[in-house]
Amino acid sequence: MGMHKGAHIVWDWNGTLFHDNDAIIGATNAAFAELGLAPITLEQYRTLYCVPVPKFYERLLGRLPTAAEWELMDGVFHRYYAEHRILCGLTEGAADLLAGWRSAGHSQSLLSMYGHEELVPLVRGFGIEAHFLRVDGRTGPSGGSKAEHMVRHLEALSGAVEPARTVVIGDAADDAVAAGHVGARAVLYTGGSHSRASLEGAGVPVVDTLAEAVAEAQRLAA
């Protein structure tokens, strides 16, 4: 896709391009069951979810999980998710939006907190990898913020994009935090892990469809 320095989107994966809400809720409840916690609904999840993830568990446990509890719950979560993600697909219209943004001469990349080794073949399997300058998943322990990963992601794209014309599109307030950390903008999508009310607290545009997110990104990066 060459060198750009024009409008650039950094896409989130889980809950944004990848519509995996059912697998996420199932994995969360499987993890909760290990500690005897009652299952929660998607609506409850969207209201309570936050990062770092142990803080999310604290909201339900009334305390932070111990290191052993966290290791147990995290392992169960990822095993369940890996088994059930195969039933999930791209968010409606996502493939066309990626192709359209690329065809318009803009650049885009993908940064996810899903493990890198699992992410890359998943993205490749949907036939969309060629739309991205770079695809990065999480390296290191799970459960933290995306901010430092965003720093490394943009550093790896150095010379191809500039933060001032970069817009992060994601479904979590942490995506806005990560964008601000590198001097980029953000648009948050309500179809994933957060409620509209919690997203609006991030102080960035909030939209209900990915098409709206792309249109807003175009405006912000102009």
Side-chain angles (χ1 to χ4, degrees):
M1 291 174 67
M3 304 296 276
H4 294 271
K5 292 197 175 182
H8 181 81
I9 291 174
V10 178
W11 289 95
D12 173 55
W13 181 245
N14 302 97
T16 304
L17 289 175
F18 190 45
H19 188 65
D20 59 350
N21 290 342
D22 288 345
I24 290 287
I25 291 299
T28 297
N29 285 330
F32 285 174
E34 292 296 319
L35 297 190
L37 291 171
I40 63 172
T41 64
L42 176 60
E43 183 178 359
Q44 290 171 316
Y45 181 91
R46 285 174 164 164
T47 299
L48 296 171
Y49 182 75
C50 63
V51 293
V53 178
K55 295 290 290 183
F56 168 52
Y57 291 154
E58 181 183 25
R59 292 180 173 184
L60 294 139
L61 280 170
R63 59 174 176 80
L64 281 170
T66 66
E69 288 172 337
W70 163 252
E71 185 175 355
L72 173 64
M73 295 173 79
D74 193 48
V76 170
F77 178 94
H78 284 98
R79 284 195 298 275
Y80 183 101
Y81 181 83
E83 293 170 2
H84 290 79
R85 74 183 187 195
I86 59 174
L87 301 175
C88 303
L90 295 177
T91 300
E92 184 177 358
D96 289 340
L97 289 168
L98 293 173
W101 184 259
R102 183 186 184 191
S103 296
H106 306 308
S107 63
Q108 55 201 329
S109 58
L110 174 59
L111 175 63
S112 173
M113 293 299 282
Y114 191 45
H116 184 76
E117 297 303 318
E118 294 79 20
L119 174 69
V120 172
L122 187 56
V123 173
R124 189 170 294 149
F126 283 111
I128 58 174
E129 185 181 20
H131 294 314
F132 304 112
L133 292 179
R134 186 175 183 87
V135 174
D136 283 329
R138 172 186 50 77
T139 56
S142 62
S145 173
K146 186 180 275 188
E148 292 305 319
H149 294 271
M150 186 67 72
V151 171
R152 291 190 290 273
H153 184 71
L154 289 195
E155 285 177 348
L157 290 169
S158 178
V161 304
E162 55 182 317
R165 298 202 64 195
T166 295
V167 179
V168 177
I169 296 179
D171 69 315
D174 189 54
D175 290 300
V177 172
H181 194 65
V182 296
R185 312 290 285 276
V187 179
L188 299 181
Y189 163 62
T190 62
S193 62
H194 279 46
S195 67
R196 171 174 276 276
S198 63
L199 294 178
E200 287 175 342
V204 302
V206 177
V207 299
D208 295 319
T209 68
L210 292 188
E212 291 175 282
V214 170
E216 190 66 18
Q218 176 73 74
R219 183 186 70 80
L220 292 172

